[in-house]
Amino acid sequence: MSLATVLLSLIIALNIICNPVESTVHYDPWYHSRVTSLRNTDNCNIYKLPEKVLILDVDNCIYSESEIQGNSGGQGIEKQIIQNTYDFGKLTLNLTEDDCDKMYQQYGSTIEGIRHKLISEGLTDDRIHDILHNYYLYVYDRIDTTCLLPNKSQTLVNTGYNHASVRSRQMFVREMLQSIPYPIYFASNSPRTHVLRVLSAMGLKNVDYDGLLTPDVLDGPVKFPTKFQPVEFFRSLLEIYGSERLILIDDSKSNIQRAKEVGIQGILVNNDEGVTLEEALSIFVGHVEHKSPESCSLDEDWYEFSDVKYLQSKYNVDMEAINPRVWDHMMERLLSSHDKKQNVQNVRIVDIGAGLLSMLDLMIVGVKEKRSLIGRMESGSELHYIAYESNKNLLGAIDSRLRSLGFENVKTNEKDEYEYILQGKVTVKLTLRVRDFTQEQLGSEERPHMILGCCFADLFDPDELVVSVARFVNYYKGVDKSESQGDSHQEILLYFPITFCGTTQFVKPRPFEVGLGNKVIPSDTMAFRLYSQNLIEQHGHNLDPRRLIEAFQNIGVALLDKGQSVWHIDPIQNTYLWKTMLHFFRNSAAFEIMKLNLDSVGWLQRAERTGSPIRVMNQDLLFSLQLPFSKKYVASSTSEQFQEVHDTVEEIVFMSPYEVVKNVKSIQEIHLEPNQVEVKSICSLISSGTELKIFKGLFDEAQLDVNIKGMAEETMKYPLSYGYSLVGIVTRCGSDVADSESLMGKMVFTFSPHSTHAIVDRHTVHIVPDGISAEDAMFLPSVETALSIVHDANIRVGERVSVYGQGLIGLLVTGILSRQQPCLNHSSVGTITTFDTIGDRLAMSSAMGSSQALLPCNVKEACPFDVSIEVSGNARALQSAIDATQDGGRIIVGSWYGNSEIQLKLGIDFHRSHKTIKTSQVSTIPAELSALWSKDKRFILSWELVRLLKPSNLITRWSSLDNAQEAYELLDSGKEVAISFQYKQ
């Protein structure tokens, strides 16, 4: 017999001794029952009683009857129970349907009404028992629970505000119940066999609950007691736990009221309107405060979710966040592809996630630097705006907003379609369709110039969204020339502003803390990562814009532009939106925190108490969809296919501190040696370390890089062409290049300055491995630098690591460390703590895998660290890294300080600490690693890390060589994390 078995037997024996009253709660043999508590008496104070106990109703509580009926063609569980009850009442007791309904309304269940009727008629107890027993057999044994099974054909309608709706409600409820650390009892007026069948169909059979309370298994003076007799029904739990710990979640107001009579608290569920089961469970565990409607009406600060208020509250935040550069690019492209007849512009836009029509508002009014569309259109032109919004709750607010803008409702039809018109210099015609766009196809006469969806694209699986859009615009339909004569445009723009990237962060993030009962409160970084995880796994969201880009590119749609669009949500200026974000966190992230046995309630209370502004990272995406299909370029093996005629080469040159210019050279100045190749540039990356030092003049004259071919002979002095992260296509090969035939047209990486074309030695060219994009490939040197720092740090599993500075290299170090360290849910081992002064960088650090991304002012709360890596280039950060590293720890200095003089405090404490300070530099392999590693081997691993990390997600701005000065200034100011030059193809 095992020790666990002996202990369990002892606990049960003690429970019997201390609790002589026989338990009437039914325990089933097919689940493992938790012995969570014993009666707390003077003689048996062995186990502390739980803080609270959940009693959960079953029918129309753990599922929504109306939702079940909607998914199963009208069949539902409650519907079957009611019909069977009518039949039993008529056949056995001569009851009408109206009689049965009145019994239910008076007693909370029809069977309780039948009992009272039989007692009033003077029947014996045995006769009453037989009739009630037959009632259960007749009503419940014939119920078909198939309707509870998930319906795969059900279509989920996504909108821009449904963060709280769940793709698989059953899965979400199951995970919520499994994460609750308190005893759980299912309690129903239905018989045990029915409850078990419902739990099985709902996928809840393996939920670790503690017992079932059903009338047919409860023993006592009253046979078949229901919740109408709370003393008898809840007797076992009242005796074990006392009433003050019991909380009943039920859909019957009568049951809630009767339970209250014996001191049991209640939460009333209404899955159709009001409190849902998910919200009730959040209330039970303490994630959400529970108040009566009367109390709520008296509390001015009380929050209640409203889809209309939410959309209204985020309007200003959306308008501020939308990227002005991408907006201008979209406008320029849109107006160049319009139908223009006799100097009149007619533009048609389809909004597939319209909400309260905020994007139409922006098209008409504009905001700050984002000029309106109609302000750019010719007088006498027309904008036809077709809006799809499936939520009928929004119609009133939409109508009010349109009328405030001057629109007039001119037509309404029976198909939930409304037409409005706004007269002016440009006529705006609005067609509002209260339908889901995925169920429709546009006719050729409605071919749009642009499709847009604000706060929308991340709500879908990328491949599903692409298919829906392609079907919607008839992308694969053959071209009918007769149809296209009146509308000759062949490009449809796809514009998705405010596409969530998966990273949310408090502006003043907090670290791990120890809360009440010594439970660990997670860092804000970890909590928000769990929120994103919940959105992906439970809601079916896509939080990686790269997946969406690749899905569109897979069908031939080209990405034109992308840019950051960051939500800044202030708790004072954007109060309702800030509270709504907390509402989302309460109903998703908090349960994920609880599942890890961390203090979810403590985290929510801390979030409310600190009231920090919230930053949400989004991207604006602009695509071009060509109609009809354009022929895709296919590379030929013949070198002539890649020959390109160009007269000039453009490059950037550093002229003096803080001055960089674009230089244009004649092609005659460039000579291709026999062993060289010419590369036509696709993109290149600005180094945020060395290049910024050159830009600011913080360097001494020296060789550029003794280990990079082509740089060893050049001196670091002005004027200087510099750069070492360029990707392009090989367009010419010298006469001595042996593999010229296979090399032509290949995408390659080269350590070359920023230029439209590069001439390099063949042996310095690195062919980009298959499956890696040009945008990712240009990060190769940065990834190799980060890898060399991680190698020098020699992190052991479980060591607490800090990374000071979350610029490009710091973020890549964090990304590599997070893949190397196991994901531990503990604050004292295995954490990766990152520091930076810029909020956007901290948000990116979270996305790269940091355990806690913090401001420098939080160092003392988060330390000590076993290893500290300094890549900030800031001497104060280096000093902090030294001070925050525990005795015997290691400090790795990856920064290059140029010719700046820095001062460090290395007094007696440092002298006695046995701390090690080590520099890290990527150019050579350190002596202690040279026996095992070579540059080639490190390159191989660096390419694989490029593939894994997909570092192009870190690009915050694309630029051209014409805007080089602005690009370096933005990077130097910290307003951008990574900037890439993009070259015309």
Side-chain angles (χ1 to χ4, degrees), residues 435-507:
R435 304 195 287 274
D436 177 13
F437 90 97
T438 63
Q439 307 302 309
E440 304 228 334
Q441 286 183 293
L442 294 175
S444 59
E445 71 283 356
E446 288 186 330
R447 177 183 296 172
H449 298 87
M450 182 170 72
I451 290 175
L452 70 86
C454 182
C455 303
F456 188 75
D458 54 278
L459 305 177
F460 291 80
D461 174 85
D463 293 318
E464 291 178 3
L465 178 60
V466 168
V467 169
S468 297
V469 170
R471 182 182 293 114
F472 181 60
V473 299
N474 292 291
Y475 185 52
Y476 296 105
K477 181 181 178 182
V479 178
D480 187 337
K481 293 183 178 179
S482 63
E483 289 183 355
S484 62
Q485 286 177 355
D487 193 1
S488 59
H489 75 276
Q490 296 184 358
E491 179 184 63
I492 298 177
L493 295 178
L494 305 177
Y495 179 46
F496 297 111
I498 321 291
T499 301
F500 183 36
C501 298
T503 304
T504 309
Q505 188 81 334
F506 284 129
V507 171

Side-chain angles (χ1 to χ4, degrees), residues 387-405:
Y388 283 84
E389 176 48 60
S390 59
N391 188 354
K392 294 183 179 181
N393 294 338
L394 305 183
L395 286 177
I398 289 174
D399 184 75
S400 298
R401 181 56 183 160
L402 289 173
R403 294 186 186 281
S404 71
L405 290 171

Side-chain angles (χ1 to χ4, degrees), residues 197-215:
R197 280 193 293 146
V198 170
L199 294 180
S200 175
M202 292 288 293
L204 301 177
K205 188 173 180 179
N206 284 332
V207 169
D208 193 14
Y209 63 85
D210 292 73
L212 298 176
L213 283 76
T214 61

Side-chain angles (χ1 to χ4, degrees), residues 314-499:
K314 77 184 190 72
Y315 172 81
N316 289 331
V317 175
D318 281 344
M319 297 303 103
E320 288 287 336
I322 288 174
N323 189 288
R325 178 178 53 79
V326 180
W327 172 264
D328 284 340
H329 190 172
M330 178 272 292
M331 285 289 179
E332 178 184 347
R333 191 89 175 200
L334 178 64
L335 294 176
S336 68
S337 65
H338 67 274
D339 303 326
K340 191 167 184 178
K341 299 175 182 178
Q342 299 178 348
N343 293 322
V344 173
Q345 298 166 308
N346 294 317
V347 177
R348 186 179 299 112
I349 297 173
V350 178
D351 189 338
I352 56 178
L356 295 181
L357 298 175
S358 60
M359 293 304 296
L360 174 61
D361 201 319
L362 185 58
M363 298 283 178
I364 295 171
V365 180
V367 173
K368 295 183 179 179
E369 70 270 38
K370 293 177 273 287
R371 288 181 54 203
S372 70
L373 171 62
I374 63 173
R376 307 185 192 200
M377 295 173 65
E378 301 288 344
S379 179
S381 302
E382 179 181 284
L383 168 61
H384 184 193
Y385 198 93
I386 303 174
Y388 283 84
E389 176 48 60
S390 59
N391 188 354
K392 294 183 179 181
N393 294 338
L394 305 183
L395 286 177
I398 289 174
D399 184 75
S400 298
R401 181 56 183 160
L402 289 173
R403 294 186 186 281
S404 71
L405 290 171
F407 278 89
E408 178 185 355
N409 182 214
V410 294
K411 185 179 179 182
T412 302
N413 64 32
E414 66 282 357
K415 294 183 178 180
D416 289 326
E417 190 162 306
Y418 305 83
E419 291 189 7
Y420 291 80
I421 194 165
L422 175 65
Q423 301 288 357
K425 170 191 164 186
V426 175
T427 300
V428 182
K429 176 184 175 183
L430 169 67
T431 302
L432 173 62
R433 293 170 178 165
V434 190
R435 304 195 287 274
D436 177 13
F437 90 97
T438 63
Q439 307 302 309
E440 304 228 334
Q441 286 183 293
L442 294 175
S444 59
E445 71 283 356
E446 288 186 330
R447 177 183 296 172
H449 298 87
M450 182 170 72
I451 290 175
L452 70 86
C454 182
C455 303
F456 188 75
D458 54 278
L459 305 177
F460 291 80
D461 174 85
D463 293 318
E464 291 178 3
L465 178 60
V466 168
V467 169
S468 297
V469 170
R471 182 182 293 114
F472 181 60
V473 299
N474 292 291
Y475 185 52
Y476 296 105
K477 181 181 178 182
V479 178
D480 187 337
K481 293 183 178 179
S482 63
E483 289 183 355
S484 62
Q485 286 177 355
D487 193 1
S488 59
H489 75 276
Q490 296 184 358
E491 179 184 63
I492 298 177
L493 295 178
L494 305 177
Y495 179 46
F496 297 111
I498 321 291
T499 301

Side-chain angles (χ1 to χ4, degrees), residues 24 37 247 295 355 394 399 415 563 575 679 688 707 773 789 890 896 905 921 940:
T24 58
S37 63
I247 300 176
S295 301
L394 305 183
D399 184 75
K415 294 183 178 180
T575 303
V679 177
S688 56
N707 290 286
S773 69
I789 292 171
R890 309 184 298 284
W896 174 46
K905 181 181 178 181
Q921 213 280 329
I940 292 171

Side-chain angles (χ1 to χ4, degrees), residues 73-125:
Q75 185 185 37
I77 300 297
E78 289 278 300
K79 186 176 181 180
Q80 294 179 71
I81 293 174
I82 292 171
Q83 185 59 54
N84 292 348
T85 298
Y86 289 160
D87 294 344
F88 179 85
K90 181 178 180 180
L91 293 172
T92 306
L93 303 171
N94 200 28
L95 295 174
T96 66
E97 293 182 2
D98 189 50
D99 291 334
C100 294
D101 290 341
K102 287 180 179 178
M103 287 178 175
Y104 178 83
Q105 292 166 6
Q106 183 176 356
Y107 299 103
S109 67
T110 306
I111 190 172
E112 192 59 46
I114 292 174
R115 182 205 311 280
H116 280 73
K117 171 181 169 58
L118 297 177
I119 292 173
S120 68
E121 293 176 353
L123 273 68
T124 65
D125 289 347

